[in-house]
Amino acid sequence: MVYDLTPVELPVAWRGLAAPMEAASDALVRLDERLARAEPVLADGARARAHLFDAQAALHLEGQLVALEDLVLHEAAMDVRRPTLALGRAVAVLADRRRLAAAAPDWAFSAAGWTLLLGARPDARGAPEDGDGEDHTEPPDEAALDLAAIDRLLARTRRTLAEHGAGGPVAPGGTLGSWRQVLDRTRDLPAVLAAAVALDAWLVLDPAPRQGHLGPLAAAALLRARAKATAHLPTLALGLRESRARWSRALPPPERLAGLLGAIEAAARSGGRDLDRLTLAREVMLRACAGKRRTSRARVR
């Protein structure tokens, strides 16, 4: 399958894409600048919450429902329900996002980054594997035992895929090679439009079957690599879920790209609203704690 960029290069298409492209670019830059200037505790909190929201949205786009509280409790090893396959996939998406966000902006399109985009998830260097580092004691209840078994399986899978993909750069071929060719042709396009084209081509070509969350992650990594989002990794899966436009292969390419640009704008605006909530919550907490001793156990009314 070949992705045709010709309809996007027509002048009539550019006239239709100019307004959504400018709106998406403005919203993305505004959020990135706010995160760069915010207090570290607020910026880190907003980025951590964005990872969770985007992982949940990525599963929702595939028709799998994962409660946010289940994902948070799993991260804290305090599960209250039996783990499901959807929760395991959400954990994997969350790990991919964190790895991309912690790496250098251009790492996603290096040899190791291409391995990640193919579906392999090598663990970060220095991160403890199952049985390494700390001594974890498993709770005796059955749900925790099932959860630990799933975690061990995921760890073994990551190690196997990492060993298999550590031999060198991924050779382009098939639909992935076609997508990489589209990516190369977007070098002269504006960063936001290039990300929308990359995401649209991913949805059309489907280079990594059963790994649909990698498309929004690849487009978000492209925005970081093009220095359009330097202080955060955009939450494009969340934007796709919250956007009013619905992507369909039957739509004309300019209309599909306009919808994806609207999703980028929706993702940025959602991040801004969450940063506002965190800022307000911190101000209320600091005002309530004013004049209180650090060791005081008095309740704040």
Side-chain angles (χ1 to χ4, degrees):
M1 184 180 295
V2 178
Y3 183 83
D4 188 13
L5 267 175
T6 304
V8 183
E9 298 171 348
L10 297 176
V12 64
W14 277 89
R15 286 195 294 269
L17 293 174
M21 182 170 57
E22 183 178 7
S25 180
D26 289 347
L28 191 64
V29 171
R30 187 177 298 111
L31 172 62
D32 200 65
E33 187 65 19
R34 288 188 61 191
L35 288 172
R37 293 176 179 270
E39 297 184 32
V41 63
L42 291 175
D44 292 342
R47 283 188 285 261
R49 288 163 60 89
H51 293 329
L52 293 168
F53 293 151
D54 198 63
Q56 181 196 35
L59 268 295
H60 282 193
L61 292 175
E62 297 180 2
Q64 302 185 45
L65 300 180
V66 177
L68 188 63
E69 56 269 22
D70 288 345
L71 188 55
V72 173
L73 290 173
H74 175 78
E75 286 286 294
M78 298 172 60
D79 299 83
V80 296
R81 283 188 283 268
R82 185 181 299 273
T84 62
L85 181 60
L87 178 61
R89 290 202 60 197
V91 171
V93 176
L94 186 60
D96 286 347
R97 272 196 60 87
R98 287 175 174 168
R99 181 167 176 80
L100 283 176
D106 57 348
W107 176 86
F109 304 104
S110 63
W114 281 116
T115 302
L116 175 66
L117 292 181
L118 278 177
R121 301 179 183 88
D123 294 317
R125 294 182 180 179
E129 289 282 347
D130 182 67
D132 297 338
E134 300 180 6
D135 183 19
H136 299 281
T137 302
E138 295 181 354
D141 58 287
E142 184 180 355
L145 292 175
D146 293 340
L147 183 63
I150 292 176
D151 287 340
R152 285 195 296 271
L153 177 61
L154 287 173
R156 288 197 301 271
T157 303
R158 293 189 187 105
R159 284 196 296 268
T160 302
L161 292 174
E163 293 171 0
H164 182 270
V170 179
T175 53
L176 181 63
S178 301
W179 184 77
R180 291 182 64 172
Q181 292 176 4
V182 173
L183 197 65
D184 291 337
R185 292 179 61 184
T186 62
R187 296 183 185 275
D188 297 331
L189 296 178
V192 176
L193 182 58
V197 170
L199 180 53
D200 185 62
W202 189 285
L203 294 174
V204 171
L205 299 174
D206 192 19
R210 296 179 297 279
Q211 297 287 340
H213 71 278
L214 295 176
L217 278 182
L222 180 61
L223 289 171
R224 283 193 74 212
R226 297 282 294 269
K228 200 66 177 180
T230 59
H232 76 294
L233 183 66
T235 55
L236 299 190
L238 180 62
L240 285 171
R241 190 183 68 177
E242 295 194 352
S243 176
R244 293 183 178 180
R246 291 293 176 262
W247 186 91
S248 174
R249 194 180 307 220
L251 296 174
E255 190 172 342
R256 296 200 308 258
L257 291 177
L260 293 177
L261 290 171
I264 296 176
E265 180 186 1
R269 294 191 183 279
S270 176
R273 291 193 299 268
D274 192 58
L275 183 58
D276 290 337
R277 284 191 291 267
L278 286 178
T279 303
L280 179 60
R282 186 168 185 267
E283 289 179 356
V284 171
M285 182 189 67
L286 291 177
R287 188 176 303 172
C289 294
K292 302 294 190 302
R293 298 192 306 273
R294 283 177 175 268
T295 57
S296 175
R297 293 189 178 183
R299 294 183 178 180
V300 178
R301 297 185 182 274

